[in-house]
Amino acid sequence: MKPVKKILLGFILIFLIVQMIQPARNIDYGQVPSSDISKIYQVPQKVQSILKTSCYDCHSNSTDYPVYAYVQPVSSYLENHIQKGKKELNFNEWGLYSQRKQTNKLKAIANQVKQRKMPLPSYLYLHQDAKLSKEKVEEIVNWIESLPTEK
Ligand code: HEC
């Protein structure tokens, strides 16, 4: 066998072996938990649907995984974002946050979407539907401003 072929075969083998190492999945088959943000505030249908489509994949206990998310090294790359995102903000666990933390997180959400830092740009390449139009940003910001929080 030619050396080039050997090297290529080596890479394919490594690629296949690496596929067996898969991170634990962020999937919760239960119902919407009582600590979900939608149980704490009146969340308008429109806003809820924007959050679900654009944020919940990284900021909740349940990710809607695309097929390519099962292929390494994409798998680990995505899981890292999910774990980091969840740690910062988890819409499913909103009710477990202190009043102060809730107020701060609401401000952070408004800032992140206004500055277009969220959803993560890398996520938007393959999730066009998660892109926030000007109207959607306004929808989120207006809703946050309407909430009865300590200011
Ligand atoms: C692809 C995953 C992903 C998506 C989708 C996503 N985020 Fe994030 N988010 C992260 C990660 C990762 C962090 C941790 C900080 C960082 O790496 O920038 C984060 C951090 C945050 C923070 C914390 C900032 C702070 O200072 O407290 C807020 C707020 C936030 N995201 C809001 C949102 C909102 C709102 C959406 C939807 C419009 C969204 N994110 C969509 C991954 C994501």
Side-chain angles (χ1 to χ4, degrees):
M1 209 188 311
K2 282 192 187 144
V4 180
K5 268 195 178 164
K6 263 192 196 163
I7 292 170
L8 204 66
L9 208 66
F11 272 122
I12 293 172
L13 260 173
I14 290 169
F15 177 79
L16 290 176
I17 290 166
V18 166
Q19 299 312 311
M20 290 183 224
I21 309 161
Q22 292 285 344
R25 298 286 154 181
N26 186 44
I27 300 178
D28 180 2
Y29 296 101
Q31 299 168 318
V32 179
S34 60
S35 55
D36 188 77
I37 191 161
S38 62
K39 307 268 167 128
I40 313 293
Y41 306 126
Q42 180 75 27
V43 186
Q45 190 60 45
K46 251 190 182 164
V47 174
Q48 186 63 31
S49 119
I50 298 171
L51 297 181
K52 279 249 163 72
T53 311
S54 300
C55 321
Y56 269 54
D57 270 354
C58 302
H59 292 293
S60 83
N61 291 331
S62 224
T63 302
D64 190 4
Y65 289 98
V67 179
Y68 57 80
Y70 291 89
V71 182
Q72 284 288 22
V74 180
S75 250
S76 294
Y77 173 77
L78 295 183
E79 211 54 42
N80 181 33
H81 276 164
I82 295 168
Q83 292 310 324
K84 271 201 201 146
K86 257 175 80 167
K87 221 172 115 206
E88 288 284 338
L89 170 69
N90 189 335
F91 286 113
N92 286 154
E93 293 176 3
W94 191 268
L96 308 177
Y97 294 167
S98 68
Q99 280 286 311
R100 194 161 153 213
K101 187 166 176 185
Q102 292 180 352
T103 306
N104 288 340
K105 289 293 167 192
L106 286 173
K107 280 188 197 143
I109 293 168
N111 281 335
Q112 296 281 329
V113 297
K114 270 197 259 180
Q115 294 170 21
R116 307 225 163 243
K117 288 192 182 153
M118 286 287 151
L120 285 185
S122 61
Y123 177 77
L124 295 177
Y125 283 123
L126 294 162
H127 289 89
Q128 292 290 330
D129 58 327
K131 231 174 222 165
L132 297 182
S133 61
K134 207 167 146 253
E135 290 73 33
K136 284 183 177 173
V137 169
E138 274 167 16
E139 204 73 58
I140 296 175
V141 173
N142 288 342
W143 167 66
I144 288 176
E145 283 172 357
S146 76
L147 291 174
T149 53
E150 34 175 271
K151 293 224 168 84

